[in-house]
Amino acid sequence: MLHIARLTIWEALRRKILLATGVLTMGFLALFWLEVAHQPRMAVTQNPLGNLSAALGSLALGAFFCYFVIAFFSIFSVSGAVSAEIESGLLAPVIPRPLCRAEIVLGKWIGFAIVQLCFVSVLFFGIVAVVHAYYARVLPAAPAVVQAWALFVLQAWVLGAVTLLGSVRLSTLANGITIALSFTMAFLAGALAQFRFVAHGSVVNGLATAMSLVLPTDNLYRRAVYELAGGRQSLLGTALIGPFGVIKVPSLLYVLYAVVYLAVALTVSVRLFEYRDA
Amino acid sequence: MVSLNAVEALGLTKCYGRATACQDVNLLVRRGQIFGFLGPNGAGKSTVVKILLGLVPPTRGTARLLGRPYKDREVHRRIGYLPELFRYPPWLSVHEVVKWHARVLGISGRQAVVEALEAVGLADRQQARVKTLSKGLQQRLGLAVAIVGDPDLLFLDEPTSAMDPVGRHEVGELLHAWRHRGKTIFLNSHLLSELEGLCDSVALIRQGRLVYTGSLQTILSARSEFGVTTGPVPTACQREWEGEGLELSGGDGDWVYAGDRDRLPELHAILARHRVAVYEVVPVRQSLESWFIRSLQGEETKYAAHRAADHMGGPPA
């Protein structure tokens, strides 16, 4: 399993995937810094609530970008992990080796998970550092930031696992499109559920819940934003940042569900790959 | 007890919906042999090999490799494989590719990697990236990957299809040396002239079904033919040998007699009676290629007859 994981990380390094991602991430963080730097600010003593709102707004905006960039990174890097390698003949000399198929699938996921961990960490802590540079006094405590980071990592791993599952059966393009559209639908359903007029038990709310079960990334994102805000739910409502905010905080059960979802996605990937021609 | 057979396949069948890639394929390959697996394009050769190597799950049937179940993980440590369609990570160097496969086999030293690369003539290109190699050199790399770890059983699917004549010759030498060391080689190839000089036994597959399996020697000596070079042959002479049931084809002094060796004096006597000069009588060895074509044509005729019979509702002619 570790042979495959090593090869996956090796590929990310050797093919300059990490280098290109790193350079672009720096560019992204520079733009984000410009955005935060040009926000109107007052001394904390003059308007503490206004500054808190601005800080949380910046964090929420950064988190939103982080959410999308991580998703696209995860989808694009994993979408051809199995199918493209079978089509190109890369796996043909590997499968007859003394490796079981589960090792190949799980090894690939571990490799991608390590690469995702590095990427998410740089991006997330970069965003937090930029906001911290301007709003040091109003930022949440370190444990909340770490919890939010862990949720973003989990989001990347869940997307990686479900994209890997798709890559066992679908072509690279079909898989990439399917997962990207599902991800966008999950976000839209999650955004709909944030509006105050969407009543509990309504069809829209039911649809949002169903979509969050199909792909639990949106709940992880909103829980991460909530953690980043230090649990200040009221300031993250639709009045402040609209559908990107958090009116309804996903419970920790959803986080647990995401962990189970990840395990199931990997198990199904392994089972499907065992019966796939290579 | 160590099994004498390197490959034992029993009833291997692979279906894709209503299409059948191979059906009830039974194979037996003795240890220490070079085995040629022949068949036209799309006959099911690669499918059988892929089933044996665990790349394609069979619909039915089972197999044993080196005396153990074909899915056994330990047996896969003793197998090398060069696929027909393959690619190695283009961003790795030649040395890194072979080293990675050696590591998977549990070999950590540099020696095994260098030996494999030397054996295929890639020792001086160890640091070259895979993407810079020509097709022929990539095939050599594939061979190095297949032989690293000194496997007991090698599956080579079209191993020389992209190589120049020198490369082919070198691979032939390598395979001979491999056999002398008691290794078993399972070869899929369209280059029948090469197989003829290499194989101990062959099998022919057509439309997913095995139509022949046996020793190469049996095939090559199954049909006796003699080339007869003569002066001008009068029509009366031809009529006489036809009347005697002697089968000669050709003309203009170059004839091929297909028949029993014991009847050659009879043919000679007829030619002498008609004062036909005989310059040369030489045995013609049947080539694997001619056997292959004849076998497939024979099968074609048989299948056509079956189809016609099915169509008419009667037995085949």
Side-chain angles (χ1 to χ4, degrees), chain A residues 109-125:
Chain A
W109 183 80
I110 289 170
F112 285 123
I114 291 169
V115 173
Q116 286 169 328
L117 179 71
C118 298
F119 175 64
V120 172
S121 302
V122 171
L123 186 63
F124 177 84
F125 288 114

Side-chain angles (χ1 to χ4, degrees), chain B residues 183-196:
Chain B
K183 310 288 184 182
T184 311
I185 300 159
F186 191 114
L187 262 176
N188 264 10
S189 179
H190 281 119
L191 298 167
L192 300 180
S193 54
E194 273 180 34
L195 289 183
E196 199 175 314

Side-chain angles (χ1 to χ4, degrees), chain B residues 162-181:
Chain B
M163 287 187 193
D164 57 26
V166 176
R168 286 177 186 174
H169 176 75
E170 285 174 5
V171 170
E173 296 287 306
L174 181 73
L175 298 185
H176 272 302
W178 213 255
R179 178 178 45 189
H180 284 136
R181 292 179 52 210

Side-chain angles (χ1 to χ4, degrees), chain A residues 58-104:
Chain A
S58 295
L59 267 182
L61 186 69
F64 176 69
F65 285 130
C66 196
Y67 171 53
F68 265 82
V69 172
I70 288 170
F72 288 129
F73 177 78
S74 303
I75 294 168
F76 291 143
S77 57
V78 187
S79 59
V82 176
S83 54
E85 293 203 358
I86 288 177
E87 282 159 24
S88 67
L90 271 167
L91 278 182
V94 174
I95 293 174
R97 290 297 180 202
L99 297 164
C100 60
R101 290 200 172 197
E103 285 180 87
I104 295 173

Side-chain angles (χ1 to χ4, degrees), chain B residues 6-42:
Chain B
V7 179
E8 295 165 66
L10 197 65
L12 292 184
T13 302
K14 180 68 185 177
C15 303
Y16 296 97
R18 295 179 70 182
T20 305
C22 63
Q23 191 168 358
D24 294 323
V25 173
N26 298 308
L27 276 178
L28 202 67
V29 180
R30 294 272 179 189
R31 280 186 193 238
Q33 279 196 342
I34 299 184
F35 175 83
F37 198 36
L38 319 177
N41 290 332

